[in-house]
Amino acid sequence: MKQSLSILHIIPNLQKGGAERLVLTICNELAKYDFIKVKIVCFSDINHYQSITQTTMWEVIPADVHLSMRQKSKYAIADLQAFIDGFKPDIIHTHLWKAEIISRHLSCQNATWFSHAHDNMPQLQKLRVPLSKRRITNWYERSILLPKYVETNTKFFAISHDVFAYLYQNLPRALRKNIILQHNAIDVSRFLKPENFKKTSDCLHLVSVGSLVRKKNHLFLLSVVEELTRAHIPCKLDILGEGPLRKEIESQIIRRKLENTVFLHGNAEVENFYWNADIYVHPATYEPFGLVILEAMAAGLPVICIDGRGNRDIIQQGVNGYLLHTKNPTVFAEKIIHVYTQQSLRENLQKEALHTAKEFDISQYVKK
């Protein structure tokens, strides 16, 4: 085994999100190995995970690349290049599009490069019609980046079969052999429910975690709650996450008179909410994988979700949860009622959910 290994992760910032949490989870696990030296570089000091960030491994180095089709492109990467020259990484592992663009304008000839595809990055998609300004911009950035991927012989981590298929379809033939299916992982121990934990509510308690954006489909859950109410099922729904749709969701909660049933908690710590819940609900119409689904499973929750493609790699139908192929709130509510009222079924789902989560533990992930 190599005497030492220097690994550099590059991500724009550590704001609340699945990619950001995964980077920290990976690096905290890597830090347990004596022969590994690991660093995380961000371009800004935004950090919503201060409690799990080891300050000795986190570096903030402002950097930017502004590509232009009409004018001269601008590069502000000298400080980051100087850091890389000093750190001399054996591995450079990049996350999210801004990090892809900036990092591939750096030089580090002896490093092995990995790109982490946390979703189906639209910037990698081949040019399609009808044309739009966004599609043309994406195509231009793609045309700049693909040769750099080839030059660095970049390897790609696809976090689900859906992301793998997307990369295979959109990357050039020379890079397809470099695509690796590597499901994301969590620190299971963080989400295990304490043995002496007592649930605080006596009604059906639901929880959902995700950014308040359109594809996460939280408004759908309001309709589900209305269906549960019509079925005379007392319930409570906690929604954790922040985003541009917060005001719209708040307005709909008031309009539908759900103020005493649906609660928005923003970017709160999730563990206690999982432990207090009976069922985890995930209505996202697109989900590249689903780290929060694994977190809920680690907390012993059965999961009911809409088919978001990437979450097919987690859900075993009727074993650890249910994947619904319809966006009908009545059907969703009926499945919740079925799980909630069948105690033996719910207990089996909880047991299998925990078993599934353990298969995605970060310790095994890092070894892979």
Side-chain angles (χ1 to χ4, degrees), residues 236-255:
K236 175 183 177 181
L237 169 63
D238 289 320
I239 298 176
L240 281 70
E242 200 55 82
L245 293 186
R246 184 183 182 102
K247 288 186 178 180
E248 181 179 348
I249 296 171
E250 287 176 333
S251 176
Q252 285 294 319
I253 290 172
I254 294 171
R255 189 181 72 81

Side-chain angles (χ1 to χ4, degrees), residues 110 157 192 262:
N110 296 324
F157 284 134
L192 296 175
V262 180

Side-chain angles (χ1 to χ4, degrees), residues 113-166:
W113 292 75
F114 288 88
S115 175
H116 207 113
H118 291 274
D119 59 11
N120 295 342
M121 292 181 280
Q123 297 90 342
L124 287 182
Q125 192 169 51
K126 296 175 182 177
L127 192 61
R128 297 182 301 144
V129 292
L131 297 179
S132 65
K133 182 177 180 181
R134 171 47 55 192
R135 285 181 176 174
I136 292 172
T137 299
N138 287 347
W139 168 83
Y140 178 68
E141 293 182 354
R142 179 180 187 269
S143 69
I144 297 295
L145 196 56
L146 287 186
K148 295 183 179 297
Y149 279 153
V150 173
E151 179 185 346
T152 55
N153 193 30
T154 293
K155 313 295 189 299
F156 297 85
F157 284 134
I159 66 173
S160 66
H161 284 90
D162 183 71
V163 173
F164 186 101
Y166 179 86

